[in-house]
Each structure stands twice: as structure tokens, then as C-alpha cells.
């Protein structure tokens, strides 16, 4: 049990209950005792199981739970209020009706602001990608132009076929660039979490980050563990890794090393780390780097939202991020993700 935590029971697992569950689950001094709903298919019940929050079979059992400080009624059912007041234990407070609707609106507003900050940071990053994108697209376009001009005069059918294949490959490379950037820039409207392979996502982030920073003078070292997968939003995790990799390469003034590593511990915890041999972060800045709008980059080079968004995503996943850095030596950002419960499937007889 959390020391001096506010122990909350949520009645109702529709959209409102799900939103409040997601919000309260991120607050350290709040303990969600459980959630209940008359509808066993309510979306908040699935979300609760993903977060390892108790799903009560009966609403009455949750209302009468010992130690509950606050009962939140988000059902919108007028008959629920008298039932709660009749069955609740002495000392338990009830939040429902207009107060709960106001809280839901505040949660929705907060989620909207977070999404807008997240998107603003991505779009600002795309602005810094412009030069790299132009270079990577211009090369295959020039190749296509040259080959097309040759085809106007070419009579040898075998050469025509060969150059046509080269044109096809150049178009595919250009299409891949556009596909990577479109996937990265788009607004993700879904909160659904799926299994994400961290090794694959780090590789994808590395491809995108190279549009913003020059990798020619950087040695990339990959130390990947097998089965390094977590439950999460793939687009949000991609944004996390693009931020960390871009910051790491920007910190390397001359030739240096970027190390991407994943690990699976004996306790089942999965971790991912991004390390650089760059300039390092002063110890006095450690307490500020995750604050919104804080940046050490010159004007026009950073929004101050990158690490703030990184922290927000990791917090939603119940993960933990830590930083180790020495000035003039380098920096490591390490993210630890909660253990993924294995899914047991039964083979047909």
C-alpha cells in the first residue's frame, strides 16, 4: 500500500471512467483500489486490466471496500448516487454528478493540451529535418533524371531494362523517405496499446533522426537483446526514441559514438538506453531537463518540449527514465519499462 495515498474506487468504466483511470494512474499519491461497471464489456475494464488495477465483479463490493477514501461515480446513472450513499462505509467521500462531469472535462482538456504539445514538438522537429530530407530526396531524383535522359537515346534493350530497374529502385528509396516522415508526423488519434519491439523501433527512429542530424562522423553501436518488447503506443515510442537519438547526436561535437542498447532483466523488466560520447549535461541542470520549455539549445534549434514529451509518454506507460552524464564524457538516457505479462494460449486438441 502507498503511504498516505488517497485510495479511490471508480464506479463506471465508460469513456469518462477510462479517462479518469488513465489520469489518476499517473499520480504517485493516488492508489486506485478498483473499478467496476455493470457492463462487463465496458472499455475501462480492459484498460484497468492492462494497468493491473482490480476489476470488481460487483459494484457493491467496491463501494464497501475497507479503506476507500473517495468513491468516484462516473456512471451518469441517477439511481447510483443513493445506492452509493446507502452502502458506503463511514469516512468515505463521494464525488459524482456535476463535480465528476467537471473533472472529466478537465481531463479531456489536459489530454487535448498534451496532444497539441506532442504534435507541436514533432512538427518543429520536422522543420529541422528539411535540409536532410532535401538532400536524401534530391539524390535519387537526380539519378532518375539522368537515367530518363539516357533512355531517350538508348537502343540496347538490355540496357533499357537495367536502367528501368535502377529508376524503380530510386523511386522506392524516395517513397520510403516520404513514408517514414509521414508516419512520424501524423497525429495519432488512437490510445490503443500493442506489443512494440524496441529494437525495431530504435532502428526506425535512427532512420528518421538522420534527417535532422549528420551521422557521417558518428559511429553507431547497437547492443540489442532478443525479445525486448513492451506494451505501448508505437507512434509515441517512436517519438521518444527520435528525440533521444537526435539530442545524443547533437551533443557530439566531433567524431563520437552513439550506442543504442536494449536489455531484458531477470525480473522481466525491459530497458532501452541511448548513450553518446558528447559534451554531457551539468549536474545542476538534471532537475530541469524534463521541464516544459527548458532547453540549452540556441534560439530556433529546440522547442524545450522534447524531453518533457519523453517523460509524459514514459509516465503513461508506468515506466521510469533516468539520466547519467559527465561533462566532457557523455550522457546516457535509460528507460525501464514494466514487465509484460506473458499471454498463455492453448493449442487446439
Amino acid at each position: 500500500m502507498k503511504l498516505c495515498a488517497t485510495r479511490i474506487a471508480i464506479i463506471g468504466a465508460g469513456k469518462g471512467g477510462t479517462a479518469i483511470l488513465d489520469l489518476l494512474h499517473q499520480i504517485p499519491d493516488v492508489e486506485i483500489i478498483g473499478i467496476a461497471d455493470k457492463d462487463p464489456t465496458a472499455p475501462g475494464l480492459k484498460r484497468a486490466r492492462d494497468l493491473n488495477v482490480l476489476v470488481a465483479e460487483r459494484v457493491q463490493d467496491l463501494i464497501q471496500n475497507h479503506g476507500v477514501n473517495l468513491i468516484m461515480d462516473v456512471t451518469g446513472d441517477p439511481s447510483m448516487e443513493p445506492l452509493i450513499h446507502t452502502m458506503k462505509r463511514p469516512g468515505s467521500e463521494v464525488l459524482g454528478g456535476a463535480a465528476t462531469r467537471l473533472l472529466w472535462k478537465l481531463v479531456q482538456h489536459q489530454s487535448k493540451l498534451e496532444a497539441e504539445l506532442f504534435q507541436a514538438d514533432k512538427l518543429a522537429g520536422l522543420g529541422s529535418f528539411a535540409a536532410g530530407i532535401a538532400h536524401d530526396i534530391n539524390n535519387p531524383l537526380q539519378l532518375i533524371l539522368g537515367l530518363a535522359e539516357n533512355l531517350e537515346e538508348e537502343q540496347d534493350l538490355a540496357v533499357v531494362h537495367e536502367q528501368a530497374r535502377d529508376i524503380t529502385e530510386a523511386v522506392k528509396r524516395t517513397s520510403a523517405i516520404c513514408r517514414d516522415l509521414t508516419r512520424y508526423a501524423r497525429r495519432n488519434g488512437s490510445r490503443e496499446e500493442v506489443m512494440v519491439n524496441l529494437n525495431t523501433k530504435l532502428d526506425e527512429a535512427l532512420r528518421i533522426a538522420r534527417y535532422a542530424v549528420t551521422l557521417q562522423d558518428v559511429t553507431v553501436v547497437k547492443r540489442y537483446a532478443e525479445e525486448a518488447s513492451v506494451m505501448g503506443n508505437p507512434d509515441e515510442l517512436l517519438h521518444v526514441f527520435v528525440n533521444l537519438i537526435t539530442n545524443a547526436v547533437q551533443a557530439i561535437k566531433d567524431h563520437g559514438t552513439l550506442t543504442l542498447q536494449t536489455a531484458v532483466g531477470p525480473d522481466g523488466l525491459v530497458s532501452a538506453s541511448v548513450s553518446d560520447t558528447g559534451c554531457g549535461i551539468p549536474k545542476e541542470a538534471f532537475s530541469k531537463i524534463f521541464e516544459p520549455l527548458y532547453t540549452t539549445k540556441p534560439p530556433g534549434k529546440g522547442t524545450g518540449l522534447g524531453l518533457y514529451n519523453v517523460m509524459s509518454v514514459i509516465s503513461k506507460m508506468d515506466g521510469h527514465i533516468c539520466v547519467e552524464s559527465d561533462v566532457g564524457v557523455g550522457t546516457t538516457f535509460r528507460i525501464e519499462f514494466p514487465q509484460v505479462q506473458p499471454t498463455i494460449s492453448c493449442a487446439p486438441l
Side-chain angles (χ1 to χ4, degrees):
M1 184 182 76
K2 298 179 182 179
L3 184 62
C4 298
T6 301
R7 308 183 75 197
I8 297 176
I10 302 175
I11 310 299
K15 290 183 179 179
T18 305
I20 290 174
L21 175 66
D22 279 325
L23 173 67
L24 296 180
H25 190 71
Q26 301 176 48
I27 303 176
D29 294 332
V30 167
E31 181 180 0
I32 303 175
I33 297 300
I35 186 171
D37 197 290
K38 294 179 179 178
D39 179 7
T41 64
L45 302 184
K46 178 182 182 301
R47 180 63 178 155
R49 293 187 181 97
D50 292 340
L51 297 174
N52 293 320
V53 172
L54 172 69
V55 174
E57 293 186 4
R58 300 196 315 154
V59 173
Q60 295 89 329
D61 294 339
L62 192 56
I63 295 173
Q64 295 182 316
N65 189 293
H66 287 279
V68 170
N69 306 123
L70 179 64
I71 299 172
M72 299 186 67
D73 174 18
V74 289
T75 61
D77 182 356
S79 66
M80 186 59 66
E81 183 177 352
L83 175 65
I84 293 175
H85 282 281
T86 300
M87 301 187 66
K88 77 179 185 69
R89 293 183 175 276
S92 296
E93 298 183 10
V94 180
L95 185 67
T100 303
R101 286 194 294 274
L102 175 61
L103 179 59
W104 184 21
K105 289 180 180 179
L106 291 174
V107 171
Q108 289 177 312
H109 182 64
Q110 181 199 30
S111 298
K112 180 181 177 182
L113 289 178
E114 287 182 349
E116 289 176 351
L117 286 176
F118 195 80
Q119 188 70 5
D121 187 40
K122 287 199 290 186
L123 294 177
L126 287 174
S128 65
F129 292 170
I133 296 168
H135 178 270
D136 277 43
I137 290 181
N138 186 63
N139 283 345
L141 287 179
Q142 291 298 321
L143 175 61
I144 292 170
L145 178 61
L147 291 172
E149 290 174 345
N150 290 341
L151 287 176
E152 290 180 347
E153 306 294 335
E154 186 58 57
Q155 300 296 321
D156 188 332
L157 187 58
V159 174
V160 170
H161 287 169
E162 181 182 355
Q163 293 187 353
R165 286 193 295 269
D166 289 340
I167 290 175
T168 300
E169 290 302 316
V171 171
K172 287 180 178 179
R173 288 199 299 274
T174 305
S175 178
I177 294 170
C178 297
R179 185 171 58 251
D180 286 343
L181 293 171
T182 301
R183 184 185 300 119
Y184 179 65
R186 73 169 182 257
R187 180 187 298 273
N188 180 43
S190 172
R191 295 180 60 87
E192 184 178 355
E193 296 186 344
V194 298
M195 287 296 297
V196 181
N197 185 293
L198 295 183
N199 303 340
T200 303
K201 201 53 60 177
L202 280 167
D203 285 341
E204 186 179 352
L206 184 64
R207 289 199 308 271
I208 293 173
R210 69 184 177 87
Y211 300 125
V213 288
T214 302
L215 295 178
Q216 284 88 335
D217 295 330
V218 176
T219 300
V220 179
V221 176
K222 299 179 183 180
R223 297 172 181 160
Y224 292 163
E226 294 183 4
E227 305 301 328
S229 297
V230 299
M231 286 293 297
N233 184 305
D235 288 339
E236 291 184 348
L237 278 173
L238 175 62
H239 185 61
V240 164
F241 291 145
V242 168
N243 262 301
L244 294 180
I245 291 172
T246 301
N247 288 347
V249 177
Q250 287 176 337
I252 300 173
K253 301 303 182 183
D254 299 312
H255 180 77
T257 301
L258 170 71
T259 302
L260 308 178
Q261 184 170 354
T262 58
V264 180
D267 53 0
L269 289 178
V270 181
S271 66
S273 60
V274 176
S275 305
D276 65 73
T277 56
C279 57
I281 302 171
K283 291 292 188 291
E284 58 268 21
F286 276 24
S287 61
K288 302 177 183 178
I289 58 176
F290 294 107
E291 294 179 0
L293 304 181
Y294 177 81
T295 179
T296 58
K297 297 176 183 178
K301 297 297 184 181
T303 62
L305 295 174
L307 289 179
Y308 169 76
N309 282 328
V310 167
M311 175 66 81
S312 297
V313 172
I314 301 308
S315 296
K316 282 196 296 185
M317 296 179 61
D318 292 328
H320 174 72
I321 184 169
C322 60
V323 56
E324 298 176 3
S325 185
D326 290 307
V327 174
V329 178
T331 302
T332 296
F333 281 91
R334 175 183 171 86
I335 305 171
E336 292 184 346
F337 298 93
Q339 181 179 6
V340 176
Q341 298 295 332
T343 301
I344 302 175
S345 59
C346 299
L349 297 177

